[in-house]
């Protein structure tokens, strides 16, 4: 079993829709949770960062962490064609510098 | 790109030849990482470094070696390239807050 599971999609939505992206994990030691956005032929860029449980909002993006369920989500409101990319979740325990990635979800926002 | 430069950006090489990929950072960060990204597998850690001359293996280290003689440079070497090493290679630095920042990748094709 992989430490981090992510539905690969692909996901296709109309412009303006609310998008929900999710990851589950098995290691209860994970404390840091990240979402990366990756455009075609580019490196992943950090989009959202959360420590422990709770919600974090940044503009149209909201990251949620539910440690009791070992489940994290990224919501995108009023989705735009420029949001079309692959979204990767990533996690890290409290100690050390190890990172664990989901395989990514491909999102297309149709104008 | 958080001050990370990868070179070359693209390379085609023949099976059995040695290949060296270079990662250069301008951020003076201690931790540097090499990942490969393949469809269906996501990002997989090859090797990482926690200081000059201090390196350790990741989950897919077979066939790869690394060197770090200066804080700013982290080299990845394929001693004898194989077709299974055709991939996109990303260098990353740990930028504090338990997050990673990535370069734009090297696309390697082994024929």
């Amino acid at each position: 079993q992989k430490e981090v599971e992510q539905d690969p999609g692909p996901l296709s939505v109309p412009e303006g829709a609310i998008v929900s992206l999710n990851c589950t994990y098995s290691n209860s030691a994970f404390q840091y949770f990240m979402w990366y956005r990756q455009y075609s032929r580019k490196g992943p860029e950090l989009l959202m960062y959360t420590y422990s449980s709770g919600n974090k909002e940044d503009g149209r993006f909201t990251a949620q962490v539910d440690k009791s369920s070992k489940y994290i989500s990224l919501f995108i409101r009023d989705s735009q064609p420029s949001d079309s990319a692959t979204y990767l979740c990533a996690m890290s325990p409290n100690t050390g510098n190890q990172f664990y990635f989901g395989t990514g979800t491909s999102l297309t926002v149709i104008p | 790109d958080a001050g990370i430069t990868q070179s070359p950006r693209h390379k085609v090489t023949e099976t059995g030849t040695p290949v060296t990929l270079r990662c250069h950072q301008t951020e003076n960060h201690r931790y540097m990482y090499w990942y490969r990204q393949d469809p269906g597998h996501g990002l997989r850690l090859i090797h990482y470094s926690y200081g000059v001359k201090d390196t350790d293996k990741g989950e897919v280290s077979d066939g790869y070696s690394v060197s770090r003689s200066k804080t700013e440079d982290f080299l990845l070497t394929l001693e004898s390239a194989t077709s299974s090493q055709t991939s996109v290679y990303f260098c990353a630095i740990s930028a504090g807050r338990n997050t990673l920042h990535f370069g734009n990748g090297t696309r390697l094709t082994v024929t």
Side-chain angles (χ1 to χ4, degrees):
Chain A
Q1 181 190 5
K2 289 183 180 179
E3 299 228 41
V4 180
E5 299 279 357
Q6 183 175 9
D7 187 337
L11 191 59
S12 182
V13 301
E15 183 175 353
I18 296 174
V19 176
S20 172
L21 304 168
N22 311 294
C23 289
T24 58
Y25 63 96
S26 56
N27 189 342
S28 58
F30 290 149
Q31 295 282 351
Y32 299 88
F33 303 91
M34 292 143 272
W35 285 96
Y36 286 83
R37 178 176 60 196
Q38 185 176 20
Y39 291 115
S40 180
R41 297 185 177 267
K42 294 287 189 180
E45 58 176 323
L46 183 65
L47 190 61
M48 297 287 284
Y49 165 84
T50 310
Y51 173 70
S52 195
S53 284
N55 294 359
K56 185 173 184 178
E57 187 173 321
D58 184 2
R60 296 183 295 108
F61 299 90
T62 300
Q64 286 186 353
V65 175
D66 182 349
K67 292 186 69 180
S68 63
S69 302
K70 297 190 177 67
Y71 189 87
I72 70 170
S73 300
L74 177 70
F75 297 96
I76 307 174
R77 291 184 300 281
D78 187 25
S79 56
Q80 302 295 308
S82 59
D83 295 328
S84 298
T86 296
Y87 290 81
L88 303 161
C89 63
M91 309 176 189
S92 178
N94 202 31
T95 57
N97 272 268
Q98 301 291 330
F99 298 84
Y100 300 83
F101 287 85
T103 52
T105 299
S106 175
L107 171 67
T108 300
V109 180
I110 302 167
Chain B
D1 63 356
I4 304 169
T5 304
Q6 291 187 235
S7 59
R9 291 296 313 278
H10 303 272
K11 187 167 181 69
V12 180
T13 192
E14 293 184 348
T15 298
T17 59
V19 177
T20 295
L21 309 182
R22 180 178 183 247
C23 178
H24 178 79
Q25 62 148 330
T26 58
E27 308 290 322
N28 202 36
H29 286 294
R30 180 181 169 199
Y31 282 83
M32 298 183 75
Y33 304 77
W34 276 108
Y35 286 87
R36 60 178 289 174
Q37 188 175 40
D38 304 286
H41 292 279
L43 286 161
R44 292 182 290 174
L45 181 65
I46 305 171
H47 282 279
Y48 68 100
S49 170
Y50 46 97
V52 173
K53 292 186 171 38
D54 292 323
T55 64
D56 207 348
K57 296 178 179 180
E59 68 174 298
V60 291
S61 60
D62 286 349
Y64 301 95
S65 62
V66 290
S67 65
R68 192 164 177 204
S69 58
K70 297 186 289 185
T71 299
E72 59 265 35
D73 290 326
F74 192 31
L75 304 180
L76 176 71
T77 297
L78 290 66
E79 303 290 348
S80 178
T82 67
S83 58
S84 65
Q85 293 175 313
T86 292
S87 186
V88 181
Y89 292 85
F90 288 102
C91 175
I93 59 176
S94 181
R97 300 190 309 159
N98 281 64
T99 59
L100 285 175
H101 291 269
F102 289 86
N104 277 323
T106 294
R107 190 170 295 269
L108 177 67
T109 302
V110 183
T111 60

